[in-house]
mmCIF file of all heavy atoms in Angstrom:
data_model
loop_
_atom_site.group_PDB
_atom_site.id
_atom_site.type_symbol
_atom_site.label_atom_id
_atom_site.label_comp_id
_atom_site.label_asym_id
_atom_site.label_seq_id
_atom_site.Cartn_x
_atom_site.Cartn_y
_atom_site.Cartn_z
ATOM 1 N N MET X 1269 56.889 12.638 -33.526
ATOM 2 C CA MET X 1269 56.501 11.827 -34.643
ATOM 3 C C MET X 1269 55.506 12.517 -35.510
ATOM 4 O O MET X 1269 55.017 12.044 -36.604
ATOM 5 C CB MET X 1269 55.826 10.519 -34.367
ATOM 6 C CG MET X 1269 56.709 9.673 -33.381
ATOM 7 S SD MET X 1269 56.130 8.101 -32.881
ATOM 8 C CE MET X 1269 56.270 7.123 -34.446
ATOM 9 N N LEU X 1270 55.146 13.820 -35.113
ATOM 10 C CA LEU X 1270 54.190 14.634 -35.946
ATOM 11 C C LEU X 1270 54.639 15.930 -36.546
ATOM 12 O O LEU X 1270 53.928 16.951 -36.564
ATOM 13 C CB LEU X 1270 52.935 14.853 -34.960
ATOM 14 C CG LEU X 1270 52.279 13.676 -34.351
ATOM 15 C CD1 LEU X 1270 51.232 14.108 -33.391
ATOM 16 C CD2 LEU X 1270 51.586 12.861 -35.529
ATOM 17 N N PRO X 1271 55.934 16.000 -36.896
ATOM 18 C CA PRO X 1271 56.441 17.287 -37.448
ATOM 19 C C PRO X 1271 55.830 17.801 -38.645
ATOM 20 O O PRO X 1271 55.593 19.045 -38.800
ATOM 21 C CB PRO X 1271 57.924 16.949 -37.756
ATOM 22 C CG PRO X 1271 57.885 15.456 -38.079
ATOM 23 C CD PRO X 1271 56.932 15.004 -37.244
ATOM 24 N N ILE X 1272 55.336 17.005 -39.577
ATOM 25 C CA ILE X 1272 54.681 17.427 -40.719
ATOM 26 C C ILE X 1272 53.246 18.021 -40.394
ATOM 27 O O ILE X 1272 52.859 19.059 -41.051
ATOM 28 C CB ILE X 1272 54.505 16.271 -41.708
ATOM 29 C CG1 ILE X 1272 55.989 15.680 -42.155
ATOM 30 C CG2 ILE X 1272 53.835 16.761 -43.094
ATOM 31 C CD1 ILE X 1272 56.901 16.687 -42.603
ATOM 32 N N LEU X 1273 52.528 17.409 -39.517
ATOM 33 C CA LEU X 1273 51.179 17.854 -39.094
ATOM 34 C C LEU X 1273 51.383 19.240 -38.436
ATOM 35 O O LEU X 1273 50.720 20.177 -38.735
ATOM 36 C CB LEU X 1273 50.663 16.850 -38.136
ATOM 37 C CG LEU X 1273 49.367 17.169 -37.608
ATOM 38 C CD1 LEU X 1273 48.235 17.447 -38.757
ATOM 39 C CD2 LEU X 1273 48.703 16.166 -36.667
ATOM 40 N N PHE X 1274 52.431 19.316 -37.453
ATOM 41 C CA PHE X 1274 52.601 20.568 -36.864
ATOM 42 C C PHE X 1274 53.072 21.685 -37.851
ATOM 43 O O PHE X 1274 52.532 22.842 -37.863
ATOM 44 C CB PHE X 1274 53.692 20.501 -35.808
ATOM 45 C CG PHE X 1274 53.121 19.613 -34.668
ATOM 46 C CD1 PHE X 1274 54.094 18.884 -33.864
ATOM 47 C CD2 PHE X 1274 51.874 19.672 -34.165
ATOM 48 C CE1 PHE X 1274 53.769 18.051 -32.797
ATOM 49 C CE2 PHE X 1274 51.516 18.955 -33.085
ATOM 50 C CZ PHE X 1274 52.332 18.166 -32.411
ATOM 51 N N GLY X 1275 53.915 21.281 -38.868
ATOM 52 C CA GLY X 1275 54.339 22.214 -39.838
ATOM 53 C C GLY X 1275 53.137 22.840 -40.647
ATOM 54 O O GLY X 1275 53.110 23.902 -41.012
ATOM 55 N N ALA X 1276 52.295 21.798 -40.985
ATOM 56 C CA ALA X 1276 51.043 22.109 -41.796
ATOM 57 C C ALA X 1276 50.211 23.135 -41.038
ATOM 58 O O ALA X 1276 49.652 24.078 -41.571
ATOM 59 C CB ALA X 1276 50.290 20.937 -42.188
ATOM 60 N N VAL X 1277 49.930 22.779 -39.830
ATOM 61 C CA VAL X 1277 49.061 23.701 -38.900
ATOM 62 C C VAL X 1277 49.685 25.092 -38.808
ATOM 63 O O VAL X 1277 48.993 26.064 -38.874
ATOM 64 C CB VAL X 1277 48.778 23.058 -37.534
ATOM 65 C CG1 VAL X 1277 48.056 24.000 -36.696
ATOM 66 C CG2 VAL X 1277 47.914 21.766 -37.845
ATOM 67 N N PHE X 1278 50.971 25.072 -38.466
ATOM 68 C CA PHE X 1278 51.662 26.298 -38.340
ATOM 69 C C PHE X 1278 51.580 27.193 -39.631
ATOM 70 O O PHE X 1278 51.286 28.430 -39.575
ATOM 71 C CB PHE X 1278 53.102 26.117 -37.963
ATOM 72 C CG PHE X 1278 53.935 27.293 -37.650
ATOM 73 C CD1 PHE X 1278 53.851 27.869 -36.292
ATOM 74 C CD2 PHE X 1278 54.628 28.083 -38.561
ATOM 75 C CE1 PHE X 1278 54.610 29.001 -35.988
ATOM 76 C CE2 PHE X 1278 55.312 29.171 -38.237
ATOM 77 C CZ PHE X 1278 55.268 29.684 -36.936
ATOM 78 N N GLY X 1279 51.995 26.600 -40.742
ATOM 79 C CA GLY X 1279 51.933 27.259 -41.981
ATOM 80 C C GLY X 1279 50.441 27.750 -42.367
ATOM 81 O O GLY X 1279 50.356 28.741 -42.890
ATOM 82 N N TYR X 1280 49.542 27.007 -42.117
ATOM 83 C CA TYR X 1280 48.113 27.311 -42.308
ATOM 84 C C TYR X 1280 47.755 28.566 -41.583
ATOM 85 O O TYR X 1280 47.153 29.502 -41.998
ATOM 86 C CB TYR X 1280 47.243 26.200 -41.946
ATOM 87 C CG TYR X 1280 45.733 26.290 -42.221
ATOM 88 C CD1 TYR X 1280 45.199 25.871 -43.473
ATOM 89 C CD2 TYR X 1280 44.884 26.963 -41.395
ATOM 90 C CE1 TYR X 1280 43.918 26.007 -43.819
ATOM 91 C CE2 TYR X 1280 43.494 27.010 -41.693
ATOM 92 C CZ TYR X 1280 43.007 26.671 -42.973
ATOM 93 O OH TYR X 1280 41.653 26.703 -43.297
ATOM 94 N N LEU X 1281 48.089 28.622 -40.230
ATOM 95 C CA LEU X 1281 47.844 29.754 -39.312
ATOM 96 C C LEU X 1281 48.572 31.033 -39.943
ATOM 97 O O LEU X 1281 47.961 32.135 -39.868
ATOM 98 C CB LEU X 1281 48.251 29.510 -37.836
ATOM 99 C CG LEU X 1281 47.340 28.388 -37.223
ATOM 100 C CD1 LEU X 1281 47.911 28.106 -35.842
ATOM 101 C CD2 LEU X 1281 45.867 28.783 -37.188
ATOM 102 N N VAL X 1282 49.820 30.827 -40.242
ATOM 103 C CA VAL X 1282 50.564 31.958 -40.881
ATOM 104 C C VAL X 1282 49.922 32.552 -42.193
ATOM 105 O O VAL X 1282 49.915 33.709 -42.359
ATOM 106 C CB VAL X 1282 52.059 31.537 -41.088
ATOM 107 C CG1 VAL X 1282 52.831 32.551 -41.926
ATOM 108 C CG2 VAL X 1282 52.711 31.238 -39.838
ATOM 109 N N SER X 1283 49.427 31.616 -42.951
ATOM 110 C CA SER X 1283 48.946 32.041 -44.232
ATOM 111 C C SER X 1283 47.558 32.793 -44.157
ATOM 112 O O SER X 1283 47.213 33.575 -45.063
ATOM 113 C CB SER X 1283 48.681 30.776 -45.170
ATOM 114 O OG SER X 1283 47.728 29.981 -44.598
ATOM 115 N N ILE X 1284 46.833 32.661 -43.030
ATOM 116 C CA ILE X 1284 45.640 33.470 -42.823
ATOM 117 C C ILE X 1284 45.646 34.926 -42.988
ATOM 118 O O ILE X 1284 45.045 35.476 -43.723
ATOM 119 C CB ILE X 1284 44.890 32.926 -41.513
ATOM 120 C CG1 ILE X 1284 44.439 31.510 -41.560
ATOM 121 C CG2 ILE X 1284 43.678 33.808 -41.213
ATOM 122 C CD1 ILE X 1284 43.781 30.993 -40.380
ATOM 123 N N PRO X 1285 46.676 35.613 -42.142
ATOM 124 C CA PRO X 1285 46.798 36.967 -42.298
ATOM 125 C C PRO X 1285 47.265 37.481 -43.640
ATOM 126 O O PRO X 1285 47.214 38.538 -44.065
ATOM 127 C CB PRO X 1285 47.733 37.412 -41.150
ATOM 128 C CG PRO X 1285 48.422 36.162 -40.831
ATOM 129 C CD PRO X 1285 47.425 35.073 -41.097
ATOM 130 N N PHE X 1286 47.845 36.574 -44.483
ATOM 131 C CA PHE X 1286 48.442 36.861 -45.754
ATOM 132 C C PHE X 1286 47.257 36.763 -46.788
ATOM 133 O O PHE X 1286 47.519 37.157 -48.002
ATOM 134 C CB PHE X 1286 49.507 35.820 -46.139
ATOM 135 C CG PHE X 1286 50.774 36.306 -45.623
ATOM 136 C CD1 PHE X 1286 51.256 35.698 -44.357
ATOM 137 C CD2 PHE X 1286 51.704 37.104 -46.162
ATOM 138 C CE1 PHE X 1286 52.584 35.890 -43.862
ATOM 139 C CE2 PHE X 1286 53.037 37.406 -45.585
ATOM 140 C CZ PHE X 1286 53.379 36.863 -44.440
ATOM 141 N N GLY X 1287 46.126 36.442 -46.302
ATOM 142 C CA GLY X 1287 44.908 36.308 -47.259
ATOM 143 C C GLY X 1287 44.865 35.211 -48.165
ATOM 144 O O GLY X 1287 44.307 35.300 -49.332
ATOM 145 N N LEU X 1288 45.557 33.988 -47.800
ATOM 146 C CA LEU X 1288 45.689 32.920 -48.762
ATOM 147 C C LEU X 1288 44.632 31.856 -48.319
ATOM 148 O O LEU X 1288 44.549 30.859 -49.230
ATOM 149 C CB LEU X 1288 47.132 32.309 -48.654
ATOM 150 C CG LEU X 1288 48.247 33.268 -49.106
ATOM 151 C CD1 LEU X 1288 49.544 32.513 -48.908
ATOM 152 C CD2 LEU X 1288 48.090 33.656 -50.571
ATOM 153 N N VAL X 1289 43.865 32.047 -47.350
ATOM 154 C CA VAL X 1289 42.856 31.008 -46.998
ATOM 155 C C VAL X 1289 41.453 31.395 -47.227
ATOM 156 O O VAL X 1289 41.202 32.557 -46.860
ATOM 157 C CB VAL X 1289 43.041 30.586 -45.501
ATOM 158 C CG1 VAL X 1289 41.966 29.524 -45.041
ATOM 159 C CG2 VAL X 1289 44.408 30.097 -45.049
ATOM 160 N N HIS X 1290 40.755 30.634 -47.996
ATOM 161 C CA HIS X 1290 39.439 31.197 -48.432
ATOM 162 C C HIS X 1290 38.391 30.063 -48.108
ATOM 163 O O HIS X 1290 38.646 28.944 -48.413
ATOM 164 C CB HIS X 1290 39.392 31.535 -49.929
ATOM 165 C CG HIS X 1290 40.485 32.345 -50.348
ATOM 166 N ND1 HIS X 1290 40.393 33.827 -50.191
ATOM 167 C CD2 HIS X 1290 41.651 32.277 -51.005
ATOM 168 C CE1 HIS X 1290 41.386 34.467 -50.733
ATOM 169 N NE2 HIS X 1290 42.291 33.422 -51.095
ATOM 170 N N PHE X 1291 37.354 30.453 -47.442
ATOM 171 C CA PHE X 1291 36.189 29.472 -46.973
ATOM 172 C C PHE X 1291 35.062 29.487 -47.819
ATOM 173 O O PHE X 1291 34.010 28.766 -47.380
ATOM 174 C CB PHE X 1291 35.942 29.822 -45.428
ATOM 175 C CG PHE X 1291 37.166 29.705 -44.426
ATOM 176 C CD1 PHE X 1291 37.764 30.798 -44.069
ATOM 177 C CD2 PHE X 1291 37.534 28.419 -44.218
ATOM 178 C CE1 PHE X 1291 38.962 30.582 -43.263
ATOM 179 C CE2 PHE X 1291 38.627 28.275 -43.247
ATOM 180 C CZ PHE X 1291 39.288 29.344 -42.807
ATOM 181 N N GLU X 1292 35.029 30.213 -48.907
ATOM 182 C CA GLU X 1292 33.672 30.292 -49.727
ATOM 183 C C GLU X 1292 33.332 28.903 -50.081
ATOM 184 O O GLU X 1292 31.971 28.563 -50.082
ATOM 185 C CB GLU X 1292 33.965 31.116 -50.921
ATOM 186 C CG GLU X 1292 34.220 32.540 -50.615
ATOM 187 C CD GLU X 1292 35.739 32.962 -50.393
ATOM 188 O OE1 GLU X 1292 36.522 31.939 -50.394
ATOM 189 O OE2 GLU X 1292 36.110 34.008 -50.174
ATOM 190 N N ASN X 1293 34.132 28.084 -50.575
ATOM 191 C CA ASN X 1293 33.808 26.725 -50.943
ATOM 192 C C ASN X 1293 33.306 25.814 -49.897
ATOM 193 O O ASN X 1293 32.505 24.807 -50.111
ATOM 194 C CB ASN X 1293 35.014 25.950 -51.824
ATOM 195 C CG ASN X 1293 35.284 26.708 -53.145
ATOM 196 O OD1 ASN X 1293 34.401 27.376 -53.679
ATOM 197 N ND2 ASN X 1293 36.563 26.611 -53.651
ATOM 198 N N VAL X 1294 33.866 26.104 -48.747
ATOM 199 C CA VAL X 1294 33.412 25.246 -47.510
ATOM 200 C C VAL X 1294 31.837 25.453 -47.248
ATOM 201 O O VAL X 1294 31.062 24.648 -47.028
ATOM 202 C CB VAL X 1294 34.171 25.593 -46.361
ATOM 203 C CG1 VAL X 1294 33.696 24.747 -45.087
ATOM 204 C CG2 VAL X 1294 35.724 25.285 -46.581
ATOM 205 N N ALA X 1295 31.494 26.878 -47.406
ATOM 206 C CA ALA X 1295 30.136 27.240 -47.092
ATOM 207 C C ALA X 1295 29.115 26.744 -48.122
ATOM 208 O O ALA X 1295 28.053 26.364 -47.784
ATOM 209 C CB ALA X 1295 30.006 28.784 -47.038
ATOM 210 N N SER X 1296 29.546 26.589 -49.357
ATOM 211 C CA SER X 1296 28.622 26.250 -50.395
ATOM 212 C C SER X 1296 28.640 24.622 -50.587
ATOM 213 O O SER X 1296 27.816 24.094 -51.171
ATOM 214 C CB SER X 1296 29.104 26.789 -51.751
ATOM 215 O OG SER X 1296 30.444 26.463 -52.069
ATOM 216 N N ALA X 1297 29.640 23.961 -50.001
ATOM 217 C CA ALA X 1297 29.694 22.409 -50.155
ATOM 218 C C ALA X 1297 28.631 21.796 -49.284
ATOM 219 O O ALA X 1297 28.244 22.359 -48.219
ATOM 220 C CB ALA X 1297 31.125 22.003 -49.686
ATOM 221 N N SER X 1298 28.156 20.610 -49.815
ATOM 222 C CA SER X 1298 27.196 19.866 -49.036
ATOM 223 C C SER X 1298 27.942 19.155 -47.917
ATOM 224 O O SER X 1298 29.089 18.679 -48.083
ATOM 225 C CB SER X 1298 26.449 18.933 -49.990
ATOM 226 O OG SER X 1298 25.796 19.521 -51.017
#
Side-chain angles (χ1 to χ4, degrees):
M1269 303 177 74
L1270 302 172
I1272 305 301
L1273 180 59
F1274 291 148
V1277 172
F1278 187 87
Y1280 189 92
L1281 295 175
V1282 167
S1283 64
I1284 293 175
F1286 282 92
L1288 298 180
V1289 180
H1290 307 283
F1291 296 100
E1292 295 85 356
N1293 291 336
V1294 179
S1296 61
S1298 301

